[in-house]
Amino acid sequence: MSAAPRLDRLADRATITRVEAAGLPDALPAADVLLVWDFTSDAVRRCWPGPGPRPGWVHTASAGVDRLLFPELVESDTVVTNARGVFDGPIAEYVAGLVLAVAKDLPGSWRRQREHRWEHRETRKVAGTRAVVVGSGPIGRRIARVLGALDVRAEVVGRRGREDDPEVGRIHPAEALPGLLPGADWVICAAPLTDATRGMFDADAFARMRPNSCFVNIGRGGHVMEKDLLEALRAGRPAAAALDVFAEEPLPPDSPLWDAPGLLVSPHMSGDTLGWHDDLADRFQDAFEVWAAGGEPPNTVDKRLGYPSGG
């Protein structure tokens, strides 16, 4: 993240020290609260085990907290919170846009336009298709609801099953995923990255998908065995994929994923909309108000699960 957060509401209430990664080891012992604004950095992981006291609260300006769940922080009394709620709508819109673009072959139309080639085609209906959304947190739920507005039947998969969820109805348990994949037109990964979900989309998972299906990952790069996906796309199962996150970011220029058949690459931007920096800063300042009043800040992460225990 390039722009520094605007924390105007805290100016008269707290001493705000802004540090780069190199200055973090010296700043940590004196900090009560740490705002991890650059959520792509591993600076906290590198310097947390050092000497001296540590903040009682760490907030990350991201939905994912996997970079913070190293043993020393997990075992500590430090509260960890995330920016849950900021990205739900934008990511759901992004996924819906991908579904429509693939079904209506918009990339094919743009390619033929550049070639000045008039070629009539028939495209797929979106209404009546079926999606499997892996991840029952707020992002996965919003994706399911937005796709539902397009008449897509969305099956949500979570860590545990539930038959009477007030928002999405039935939530399938994680062990049901292999059986759901063969019936899905769209497979969307929106799960948190944990030991249980790391590498969950591998050769076996892709082999279960329909030949005309599309796989979308807006979760974390670690969810996907990228070599397996590359081989699967070359074999035509699934027919298309879209990745917004990767095991290595930025994606190296020589990665074979750039040229994988049917793959759309985007640079970890699915949740980033105009004004998102201000939204993230506001979310932290709201949480600070609760913390300063002696309460537990919202979106407190269960460090054993890897996400807020509410979902």
Side-chain angles (χ1 to χ4, degrees):
M1 243 190 246
S2 55
R6 295 192 304 180
L7 303 176
D8 301 342
R9 287 158 50 191
L10 306 186
D12 298 328
R13 305 191 57 190
T15 300
I16 301 173
T17 303
R18 304 175 189 267
V19 298
E20 300 294 332
L24 187 58
D26 293 332
L28 271 182
D32 297 303
V33 179
L34 174 65
L35 168 59
V36 182
W37 190 247
D38 181 3
F39 52 79
T40 67
S41 171
D42 286 319
V44 179
R45 179 185 296 267
R46 290 195 299 268
C47 67
W48 192 274
R54 290 293 182 260
W57 171 30
V58 174
H59 178 85
T60 180
S62 64
V65 295
D66 44 284
R67 288 183 180 271
L68 293 176
L69 298 184
F70 48 90
E72 293 84 0
L73 183 49
V74 170
E75 298 298 332
S76 74
D77 294 330
T78 295
V79 172
V80 175
T81 58
N82 69 351
R84 189 181 207 183
V86 172
F87 302 104
D88 308 356
I91 290 178
E93 293 171 356
Y94 196 85
V95 170
L98 289 171
V99 167
L100 290 169
V102 170
K104 303 308 176 184
D105 191 28
L106 296 185
S109 293
W110 290 327
R111 184 172 62 253
R112 288 167 176 81
Q113 180 180 342
R114 290 196 301 270
E115 298 169 352
H116 296 190
R117 180 157 55 101
W118 182 277
E119 182 180 342
H120 180 269
R121 289 109 61 217
E122 294 177 346
T123 61
R124 300 172 61 186
K125 288 183 180 179
V126 171
T129 58
R130 183 182 177 199
V132 170
V133 181
V134 183
S136 60
I139 293 175
R141 291 164 181 264
R142 182 66 70 88
I143 290 170
R145 295 204 304 273
V146 171
L147 291 181
L150 297 174
D151 249 351
V152 177
R153 179 187 173 191
E155 305 276 4
V156 178
V157 178
R159 187 171 66 95
R160 295 177 178 171
R162 181 176 177 180
E163 296 292 334
D164 56 349
D165 185 84
E167 286 186 280
V168 297
R170 183 181 185 186
I171 295 178
H172 299 271
E175 56 268 24
L177 178 60
L180 293 170
L181 292 177
D185 298 287
W186 318 98
V187 178
I188 299 143
C189 179
L193 183 61
T194 67
D195 289 341
T197 62
R198 191 179 302 275
M200 67 189 303
F201 288 100
D202 56 10
D204 179 71
F206 295 124
R208 293 175 181 270
M209 295 183 190
R210 289 180 175 179
N212 66 342
S213 65
C214 176
F215 171 70
V216 178
N217 186 18
I218 50 80
R220 284 291 183 266
H223 288 126
V224 177
M225 303 299 291
E226 291 176 348
K227 289 183 178 179
D228 291 352
L229 175 59
L230 182 61
E231 293 178 6
L233 288 169
R234 287 171 175 169
R237 185 190 295 263
L243 300 181
D244 187 55
V245 287
F246 299 85
E248 181 180 356
E249 296 182 3
L251 187 66
D254 60 350
S255 171
L257 291 172
W258 288 107
D259 300 308
L263 177 62
L264 175 66
V265 170
S266 58
H268 205 146
M269 57 178 280
S270 61
D272 303 347
T273 55
L274 296 175
W276 70 299
H277 288 158
D278 290 339
D279 293 340
L280 288 171
D282 287 342
R283 184 58 54 97
F284 171 69
Q285 290 178 108
D286 290 344
F288 185 92
E289 299 284 353
V290 176
W291 176 82
E296 181 179 279
N299 296 341
T300 295
V301 171
D302 183 323
K303 293 184 286 186
R304 300 293 178 184
L305 294 178
Y307 48 86
S309 55

